[in-house]
Amino acid sequence: MFSVVLFLRLGFVVGHAGLYQALAMFAVAYFIIGMTVLSVCAIATNGALDAGGAYYMISRALGPEFGGSIGIMFFLANVCGSALYVLGLVEAVVDSFGILPGQKVGTGVHVLPQSYWYELLYGTVLLALCLLVCLVGASIYAKATFLIFLIVMVVLGSILISFFATRPIIFNGSETENSFTGFSLATLRENLGGGYAVDYTTGQMMSFSSVFAVMFNGCTGIMAGSNMSGDLKHPSYSIPRGTISAVLFTYLVYNVLAFLMCATCSRTLLQKDYGFLSDISIFPPLVTVGIYAATLSAAMSNLIGASRILYALARDDLFGRALALAKKTSASGNPVMAVILSWLVVQLVLFSGKLNTIAGVVTTFFLLVYATVNLACLALEWASAPNFRPTFRYFTWYTCLLGIAGCCVMMFLISPVSASASLGFLLVLLLALHYLSPSSTWGYISQALIFHQVRKYLLMLDVRKDHVKFWRPQMLLMVQNPRGSARLIDFVNDLKKSGLYILGHVELQDLDMLPSDPLQPQQDSWLSLVDKLNVKAFVSLTLAPSVRYGVRQLLFTSGLGGMRPNTLVLGFYDDEAPQDGLAQHPAFTSAHDEIPLAFPPVRTPTAPKLLSPREYVGIVADALKMLRNVLLARQLESLDKAWELRRAASPPPTIHVWPVNLLRPDSARYADTCSLFLLQMACVLSMARAWRRARLRLFLCVEAGTMPHAQEEKLRQLLKDLRIQAQIQLVPWDSVTRLHWQNHQGPPGGPALAGEDEEEEVAVNFPANATQVSDEYVRAANKLVMEQSPAPAVRFLYLPRPPADASLHLLYLHQLELLTRGLGPTVLVHGVSAVTSTQL
């Protein structure tokens, strides 16, 4: 519990800060420690603890990234703390046995030479003694600690008696400057306020923050019990009781001793003689023994704590081979290599030379660790996980928050440079572990917090408040086999514009005939596919007797709250045999990556399809009835996006947009709901980061005698109102429409811009003349689209609505196949909802 601060630095604290500020320092320090202890007790009583103490608690609560980085920081804090106590012990030894200043030869017991290198040698010898005890094991350390505790209690009792029993003493012949006055009201008044001066050991001017840094090191021993969590029989029982008792007892002792020192010792004595307690003691050798015992115990406590943290880090394999050596243990389970490695690092820190020099660094490290312990408890409390049920209930989220705030404020108050450097080092460790460490099975508090927040915000996402200004595509892409759809999955990811993206799959089985759900084993493969393709998508799998019923289920049930699919994306139904694009995808071409084996091979050309043509068109009709937009993607697997977007800058790749219903030349319009949705989707694609070099080219089909320039100007104004940048190209199509009008009566009418009163009628109009559109006309329309050069990266075409008569579905699909034959990557689009806005 106690350390070098009690015997060698408490007078330093009171002498520089005065009684009022010293009591304030104790209050601040123990407020921070008290809040942290409440968090430690809560975590310690929420499950079984293992070796590692605070590291184990943080890593299992916040995950490996935070746990590993804070583990290293806590290891360094214990290492520096051990060095600090060894240096304090060296200071006490030199004060007792060192050659007096001004003398070259020792006299009596003062025989030890004093210099930097000699003091480093003494520290090395004392550290070697600590090493021997720690190598034997935690059991002998526990027994030695109990013995030391008894010695310290006896010494503490003798010191308290000495304040009352010792008569006034004058040091160096001056009563007013350097004296023990006994209880004196004048001395008390003199020591009430602060009187910061130069520290005689370092030559540096002291301040509130520098004195607090030294004082706080006397309070860090309260974590010694949790550091040995792996060596305790019942850590969940022992840690709360032992830690709280230690905090209350040490706080009381520090306050009582501070008052006694202020009432009996002159400020000069307190500032200029750190070992004055021996001089005023009724039995000075006993105080010397107490100093040695307390500092040696604290040094061993920090050394063994550092070794246990290092061993826990090595055992968790967070740093791979870098800490492999620290895993080795003795036959009794003592991590001897971790002890030796910790000893080596402490030995390096001893080169700093003076206790006060490293006090600020040690305090910053411990404050950072305490802040993270509070953060771990706060995260567990805020996550509201049902399994967070600590038996210790005397904490709340605001005690954790106050502990974090107190730690952060004092860290930067003590040393802004050290605090910033520590946080920077912590951030580097966090990033390194995030990208390099293997995944763990501990559970991630971040997932619980994300779930908690997402649920809250989903409840706030009110569909009744939707507005067209903030519309975004929310995609449901149906995938039969990812092996044949890798590029389509990637393409739709570019189309989603930060919206919802779901990969849907229908498994044709009957759950009643199966012993268990066959979709659960597939889930991991689909999620791994999403990770490897680097798409931001969810996965939704379902069982159904037919694909059509399965798609209906997904359209009805996918999503949650205000995040539901508004657009269905299907691959095109044709006779082309699917190709295994997964094997050639850049994400799977690395020799170290294997293609997910859970996906079956692609369908062979002779194998039957799982979906009939009528069922396919029925799916499109179902989606439109459910007011979902529909996209049919043909030959997207032939789209080499990397090549298209990286080819020569001149000319840039283009996206061809045909916002006219080519299968309805008698009612073709450019401003109905479907055409505007088509424009929106093409614009969204061009806004994606990977497609920003691409240029939109909009084709305006015109006929002779229809004032094409007026139509072009209206279309240009529409694009301007919609803030869509596109090149408009006039395409005469008299030769195409003539093939249609030859078989029909009535004057030809060219495409026009529909008024608002006509827009809705056109959007829901079924193409009742599907039987009247000849194959010759459709082939001519296909040729017209194909002849527009240069060849684009992808084309967007208007998708007519399926006929209401199901008997015409085969003809409808046949016409779509003719229209898009040989066009390369093509997306047929039908929109049913308003998605564009000209308002601010």
Side-chain angles (χ1 to χ4, degrees):
M1 291 186 298
F2 295 114
S3 65
V4 66
V5 172
L6 176 66
F7 297 108
L8 293 181
R9 287 298 184 272
L10 191 55
F12 159 85
V13 172
V14 175
H16 285 282
L19 180 61
Y20 291 153
Q21 293 189 37
L23 295 179
M25 288 182 184
F26 295 143
V28 171
Y30 275 87
F31 173 79
I32 293 172
I33 290 171
M35 299 299 102
T36 305
V37 165
L38 296 180
S39 299
V40 168
C41 294
I43 299 175
T45 58
N46 189 53
L49 279 180
D50 206 340
Y55 157 71
Y56 187 87
M57 299 177 191
I58 295 170
S59 62
R60 269 50 180 185
L62 298 183
E65 296 94 343
F66 248 109
S69 53
I70 287 296
I72 291 294
M73 302 298 288
F74 201 24
F75 168 74
L76 293 176
N78 278 274
V79 162
C80 293
S82 181
L84 180 142
Y85 299 133
V86 169
L87 291 174
L89 184 54
V90 169
E91 186 177 303
V93 170
V94 170
D95 284 345
S96 301
F97 303 105
I99 297 174
L100 297 174
Q103 298 181 1
K104 295 184 178 180
V105 180
T107 58
V109 296
H110 299 284
V111 295
L112 296 179
Q114 296 189 50
S115 71
Y116 170 80
W117 293 107
Y118 274 114
E119 291 178 6
L120 179 61
L121 175 62
Y122 306 151
T124 302
V125 173
L126 294 172
L127 183 59
L129 177 62
C130 296
L131 173 65
L132 291 177
V133 175
C134 294
L135 284 176
V136 173
S139 58
I140 190 173
Y141 164 73
K143 295 175 182 177
T145 300
F146 182 71
L147 177 62
I148 290 171
F149 171 73
L150 294 178
I151 294 173
V152 171
M153 290 300 100
V154 172
V155 174
L156 189 59
S158 72
I159 290 175
L160 293 174
I161 295 173
S162 298
F163 280 111
F164 295 92
T166 303
R167 295 180 178 181
I169 303 173
I170 300 174
F171 299 95
N172 299 329
S174 174
E175 182 178 359
T176 58
E177 292 183 4
N178 200 3
S179 62
F180 174 78
T181 64
F183 284 95
S184 169
L185 186 59
T187 303
L188 179 62
R189 287 175 177 172
E190 178 191 353
N191 291 325
L192 289 178
Y196 296 102
V198 175
D199 175 30
Y200 75 89
T201 63
T202 61
Q204 298 177 353
M205 184 66 186
M206 292 294 100
S207 63
F208 181 91
S209 59
S210 58
V211 172
F212 180 86
V214 175
M215 184 278 301
F216 192 81
N217 286 284
C219 313
T220 56
I222 55 100
M223 295 294 284
S226 63
N227 287 344
M228 295 182 62
S229 56
D231 300 302
L232 299 174
K233 288 185 178 179
H234 305 290
S236 296
Y237 176 85
S238 303
I239 288 177
R241 286 161 178 79
T243 305
I244 292 176
S245 301
V247 169
L248 295 177
F249 183 69
T250 54
Y251 181 65
L252 176 64
V253 169
Y254 280 133
N255 280 274
V256 170
L257 285 179
F259 175 79
L260 293 176
M261 288 178 181
C262 284
T264 59
C265 302
S266 67
R267 187 181 296 275
T268 305
L269 176 64
L270 296 174
Q271 291 180 346
K272 301 299 182 183
D273 186 1
Y274 297 157
F276 75 95
L277 288 178
S278 298
D279 299 330
I280 68 172
S281 174
I282 55 176
F283 188 59
L286 189 60
V287 176
T288 303
V289 171
I291 293 173
Y292 295 169
T295 50
L296 196 62
S297 170
M300 286 191 296
S301 171
N302 279 266
L303 179 60
I304 204 167
S307 66
R308 295 309 188 264
I309 295 168
L310 188 63
Y311 171 66
L313 284 167
R315 195 176 58 178
D316 287 338
D317 277 329
L318 296 182
F319 294 90
R321 296 180 181 178
L323 297 180
L325 191 62
K327 293 182 183 179
K328 297 184 179 180
T329 62
S330 63
S332 60
N334 186 31
V336 290
M337 292 308 301
V339 172
I340 293 174
L341 291 173
S342 302
W343 165 75
L344 286 173
V345 181
V346 174
Q347 182 64 57
L348 293 175
V349 179
L350 286 180
F351 281 92
S352 62
K354 292 296 180 181
L355 183 154
N356 289 7
T357 303
I358 61 173
V361 177
V362 176
T363 299
T364 300
F365 281 164
F366 272 110
L367 283 170
L368 188 58
V369 173
Y370 292 168
T372 314
V373 171
N374 284 299
L375 178 63
C377 188
L378 178 67
L380 290 170
E381 178 70 7
W382 275 355
S384 301
N387 285 323
F388 183 59
R389 298 189 298 269
T391 56
F392 182 86
R393 297 300 304 166
Y394 302 102
F395 78 100
T396 60
W397 65 267
Y398 53 83
T399 61
C400 305
L401 205 58
L402 288 172
I404 295 171
C407 290
C408 293
V409 169
M410 292 312 303
M411 244 189 347
F412 282 94
L413 194 63
I414 291 170
S415 175
V417 175
S418 297
S420 301
S422 300
L423 289 173
F425 182 52
L426 176 66
L427 182 60
V428 170
L429 289 173
L430 271 171
L431 294 175
L433 287 172
H434 178 72
Y435 289 106
L436 301 178
S437 68
S439 59
S440 71
T441 57
W442 307 337
Y444 293 81
I445 190 63
S446 59
Q447 295 298 304
L449 289 172
I450 290 170
F451 178 89
H452 186 269
Q453 291 302 107
V454 166
R455 180 192 62 84
K456 181 172 71 174
Y457 286 119
L458 275 175
L459 290 172
M460 296 170 62
L461 191 61
D462 191 345
V463 294
R464 294 169 297 182
K465 298 179 181 179
D466 283 347
H467 194 278
V468 66
K469 289 190 298 184
F470 308 111
W471 179 91
R472 66 183 72 239
Q474 304 197 78
M475 304 291 198
L476 171 62
L477 170 62
M478 298 306 304
V479 180
Q480 179 184 351
N481 188 340
R483 292 183 181 273
S485 307
R487 288 182 173 172
L488 176 57
I489 294 172
D490 186 56
F491 177 79
V492 177
N493 186 64
D494 291 333
L495 271 179
K496 71 181 188 306
K497 188 55 179 176
S498 302
L500 179 67
Y501 183 18
I502 298 176
L503 299 181
H505 174 72
V506 180
E507 193 78 14
L508 298 182
Q509 297 190 56
D510 187 356
L511 190 59
D512 291 336
M513 307 300 294
L514 299 171
S516 62
D517 183 6
L519 300 178
Q520 291 300 323
Q522 300 181 27
Q523 192 78 18
D524 287 344
S525 296
W526 282 87
L527 293 177
S528 298
L529 175 76
V530 168
D531 292 339
K532 293 298 296 179
L533 293 180
N534 195 27
V535 296
K536 297 177 181 178
F538 298 96
V539 173
S540 186
L541 312 179
T542 188
L543 287 176
S546 70
V547 176
R548 185 174 182 180
Y549 285 134
V551 176
R552 283 181 184 173
Q553 290 177 19
L554 293 177
L555 286 173
F556 276 124
T557 62
S558 293
L560 198 62
M563 295 187 67
R564 293 186 179 277
N566 56 28
T567 303
L568 175 67
V569 186
L570 301 172
F572 195 79
Y573 193 96
D574 53 27
D575 295 328
E576 294 183 14
Q579 302 295 320
D580 191 346
L582 213 57
Q584 289 78 36
H585 196 279
F588 295 93
T589 53
S590 172
H592 302 288
D593 297 323
E594 295 183 359
I595 300 173
L597 299 178
F599 301 125
V602 295
R603 179 179 57 84
T604 61
T606 58
K609 296 181 180 180
L610 300 177
L611 186 66
S612 68
R614 294 181 184 276
E615 192 176 10
Y616 176 82
V617 179
I619 292 173
V620 176
D622 291 342
L624 296 178
K625 289 177 183 178
M626 298 165 67
L627 298 181
R628 302 299 202 276
N629 310 298
V630 175
L631 274 62
L632 304 184
R634 185 172 191 182
Q635 294 186 354
L636 261 296
E637 288 304 304
S638 65
L639 173 62
D640 190 347
K641 187 175 72 173
W643 181 85
E644 288 285 353
L645 302 180
R646 292 175 185 170
R647 60 183 179 176
S650 181
T654 57
I655 300 172
H656 285 191
V657 182
W658 295 79
V660 62
N661 187 352
L662 295 175
L663 296 185
R664 291 291 306 273
D666 54 340
S667 62
R669 301 184 184 276
Y670 286 98
D672 63 21
T673 301
C674 186
S675 295
L676 293 177
F677 181 80
L678 188 150
L679 280 173
Q680 180 83 327
M681 295 310 300
C683 180
V684 165
L685 181 64
S686 68
M687 294 168 65
R689 179 178 301 177
W691 290 84
R692 284 181 179 172
R693 287 189 57 249
R695 298 292 179 264
L696 292 182
R697 180 174 293 176
L698 186 61
F699 293 93
L700 176 61
C701 297
V702 296
E703 294 183 56
T706 57
M707 296 186 294
H709 295 292
Q711 295 183 40
E712 180 184 4
E713 188 59 34
K714 288 183 180 180
L715 184 57
R716 196 178 305 279
Q717 183 61 41
L718 175 65
L719 294 177
K720 182 179 179 181
D721 293 339
L722 298 176
R723 289 90 61 205
I724 297 177
Q725 296 183 0
Q727 174 190 353
I728 299 177
Q729 182 171 332
L730 300 180
V731 180
W733 72 330
D734 299 80
S735 59
V736 177
T737 56
R738 188 177 300 113
L739 296 174
H740 176 72
W741 297 118
Q742 284 176 354
N743 300 324
H744 301 85
Q745 294 181 354
L753 293 170
E756 293 182 2
D757 55 338
E758 300 173 333
E759 180 178 342
E760 190 64 26
E761 177 187 355
V762 175
V764 299
N765 186 34
F766 286 93
N769 67 336
T771 57
Q772 301 174 12
V773 177
S774 66
D775 287 356
E776 183 182 12
Y777 164 78
V778 177
R779 290 191 185 96
N782 168 265
K783 183 179 179 182
L784 177 71
V785 173
M786 191 182 303
E787 287 177 345
Q788 307 307 315
S789 61
V794 64
R795 291 180 171 91
F796 282 83
L797 302 185
Y798 191 115
L799 173 66
R801 191 162 189 164
D805 186 356
S807 63
L808 300 178
H809 283 180
L810 290 180
L811 177 60
Y812 169 79
L813 187 59
H814 170 69
Q815 291 176 351
L816 293 182
E817 194 280 328
L818 284 180
L819 179 64
T820 58
R821 182 180 295 177
L823 295 184
T826 304
V827 181
L828 292 162
V829 181
H830 190 97
V832 296
S833 56
V835 296
T836 58
S837 173
T838 59
Q839 299 177 356
L840 183 62

